[in-house]
Amino acid sequence: MYYPEFPPDCKSLLCKYLSPEIYASLKEKKTRYGFTLEQLIRSGVKNVDSGIGVYAGDEESYELFAPLLNPIIREYHGFGPEDRHISDMDPSHLRAENPDPEEKYILSTRIRVGRNLHCFPLGPNLARRERLIVECMVSDALKALDGELAGEYYPLLGMDEATKRQLIEDHFLFKEGDRFLEAAGLNRDWPEGRGIFHNREKTFLVWVNEEDELRIISMQPGGDIQAVFARLAKAVEELQKQLTFAFSERLGYITSCPTNLGTAMRASVHIKLPRLGAKMEAFKAITDRYDLQIRGIHGEHSESEGGVYDISNKRRLGITEVQAVQQMADGVVALIEAEKKL
Ligand code: ADP
Ligand code: ARG
């Protein structure tokens, strides 16, 4: 294995922080689960247009490969090696009244967290058999939920194409064939071991064995952020009674991509902002002020359609869950005000 080649205009954090010296000091290292530097950086080496470019194979990756990962974590989250993550998922601490009660702007609200089981490596380093055990443990835990959270698990294997397409189009199910995940080894043995759980109303969903072993999702039409957060907090609390998630005192919840560490939370709205959308500079000035990310409406790496955008918190580590949602909620209020003025 040689020091990888990056094009001169490469903008990934991998390319920025993988100096030949750091490369040389890490290239022979291996975690107890056998994960190497070569595996860690494969996605960003193959996809030189990556924003980040790395996926961890286990919790230990974050310690062993810290000379590369710490600077990436610092740049993305503003979180240094001496910092400690703190969690607060108490919905009574959130002040997020519906910013759009007349439903003129916000189409839907979604909050997700990523989780991984503490007794297994992360997805890029998960063996086929382990992935099946994870699927079995998670679907068993989900079966035990009741009330509003009760639902069914639908494995991807054997799901008919029309159902799958509809679930993806309706924003409930993950897409297939993501090239970043592919290069990280996260799509091995596809579709076996993957699936989606949801309640009858599709307001509570869990993705199994996508980028993380669990993506726990609460969503509903409109802008009732408080209700969406409360449902998510309840679901996480219930699942935690049955499953132990990978968690570190310093980094919070452990996820395969360093952008998701900490809260592992992305709180978003799909929001109609056609006027702001035509004035990208003004739009970005507001999202930067509230540390928000703009995505298209079919998820990451997709484009906006009809002036509808996905607006979410960018930072996930070093802020609490309540703060992450609060940032999104406050930013959305500012965006709606600006849209109204145009
Ligand atoms: P993640 O949320 O895990 O970071 P993506 O950005 O790929 O991943 O989004 C996953 C799916 O969730 C996509 O289909 C996207 O359109 C949908 N989604 C995200 N936010 C919302 C929202 N506020 N309302 C409805 N669907 C949403
Ligand atoms: N690996 C991709 C990149 O570096 C995605 C990074 C963040 N998104 C994610 N889904 N983890 O551009």
Side-chain angles (χ1 to χ4, degrees):
M1 186 197 173
Y2 298 101
Y3 183 73
E5 250 179 61
F6 297 103
D9 60 346
C10 183
K11 292 192 183 64
S12 73
L13 297 187
L14 168 66
C15 152
K16 182 166 176 184
Y17 292 114
L18 186 72
S19 64
E21 295 72 34
I22 288 188
Y23 176 83
S25 74
L26 298 179
K27 74 177 191 332
E28 306 294 342
K29 293 196 188 288
K30 216 180 226 191
T31 67
R32 278 182 293 264
Y33 277 123
F35 202 68
T36 62
L37 178 70
E38 198 254 323
Q39 290 172 292
L40 180 82
I41 67 176
R42 205 178 271 164
S43 186
V45 170
K46 185 117 197 259
N47 299 288
V48 290
D49 59 340
S50 290
I52 315 296
V54 294
Y55 289 90
D58 43 36
E59 185 172 342
E60 194 192 343
S61 300
Y62 286 103
E63 294 159 34
L64 201 64
F65 304 115
L68 170 64
L69 294 180
N70 275 350
I72 291 179
I73 290 169
R74 185 195 286 281
E75 177 152 341
Y76 188 87
H77 298 283
F79 183 92
E82 304 307 321
D83 292 328
R84 288 284 168 280
H85 181 70
I86 34 165
S87 172
D88 175 11
M89 220 167 176
D90 183 342
S92 73
H93 296 166
L94 182 70
R95 292 280 160 270
E97 252 178 65
N98 187 341
D100 178 34
E102 288 166 26
E103 302 197 4
K104 282 194 183 153
Y105 301 94
I106 302 179
L107 305 183
S108 52
T109 304
R110 173 182 184 268
I111 311 180
R112 61 84 165 156
V113 291
R115 292 288 185 269
N116 291 279
L117 300 186
H118 96 297
C119 50
F120 289 95
L122 298 168
N125 199 22
L126 207 54
R128 178 174 171 213
R129 198 180 137 77
E130 291 172 320
R131 193 182 306 107
L132 294 176
I133 298 173
V134 169
E135 181 188 35
C136 186
M137 287 173 70
V138 173
S139 55
D140 274 357
L142 289 165
K143 242 179 248 158
L145 298 178
D146 57 12
E148 189 196 12
L149 302 178
E152 277 219 42
Y153 177 67
Y154 305 88
L156 220 54
L157 190 68
M159 187 184 285
D160 70 274
E161 281 306 315
T163 307
K164 207 189 304 172
R165 207 172 325 117
Q166 196 63 50
L167 282 171
I168 295 172
E169 215 165 283
D170 295 343
H171 309 289
F172 296 124
L173 180 62
F174 44 86
K175 286 181 283 192
E176 284 184 22
D178 180 289
R179 65 188 160 93
F180 301 92
L181 301 186
E182 176 71 33
L186 272 153
N187 293 346
R188 285 168 301 129
D189 311 308
W190 191 278
E192 198 186 60
R194 281 80 176 186
I196 182 173
F197 170 96
H198 62 76
N199 65 357
R200 203 161 47 90
E201 299 75 21
K202 299 203 187 84
T203 54
F204 167 58
L205 308 95
V206 179
W207 294 355
V208 179
N209 284 323
E210 194 242 9
E211 181 176 324
D212 289 302
E213 287 157 11
L214 295 92
R215 285 287 173 95
I216 307 171
I217 302 160
S218 168
M219 64 196 281
Q220 68 188 51
D224 192 343
I225 300 170
Q226 199 84 35
V228 172
F229 184 58
R231 185 187 303 114
L232 181 74
K234 175 80 189 149
V236 171
E237 186 189 328
E238 289 302 318
L239 285 173
Q240 245 161 0
K241 291 179 186 164
Q242 303 183 68
L243 301 168
T244 307
F245 298 130
F247 181 82
S248 121
E249 283 301 320
R250 178 167 93 88
L251 294 173
Y253 289 100
I254 299 296
T255 53
S256 66
C257 178
T259 63
N260 281 319
L261 289 166
T263 60
M265 175 175 279
R266 194 171 82 86
S268 69
V269 289
H270 275 183
I271 182 168
K272 234 183 295 173
L273 300 168
R275 297 195 186 103
L276 263 182
K279 291 190 182 307
M280 258 307 158
E281 217 172 293
F283 194 174
K284 287 232 168 79
I286 302 173
T287 53
D288 284 350
R289 195 178 326 135
Y290 291 89
D291 210 2
L292 302 178
Q293 200 175 55
I294 308 173
R295 293 186 181 186
I297 55 158
H298 293 291
E300 200 175 21
H301 310 116
S302 73
E303 296 300 317
S304 155
E305 275 171 29
V308 181
Y309 296 86
D310 171 329
I311 302 295
S312 62
N313 60 298
K314 174 170 180 264
R315 194 174 171 200
R316 315 192 208 291
L317 172 64
I319 56 172
T320 68
E321 288 81 355
V322 167
Q323 285 170 325
V325 180
Q326 194 71 57
Q327 261 178 7
M328 185 276 280
D330 295 346
V332 165
V333 170
L335 286 169
I336 292 176
E337 262 169 36
E339 177 75 10
K340 277 183 185 163
K341 278 196 197 129
L342 287 172

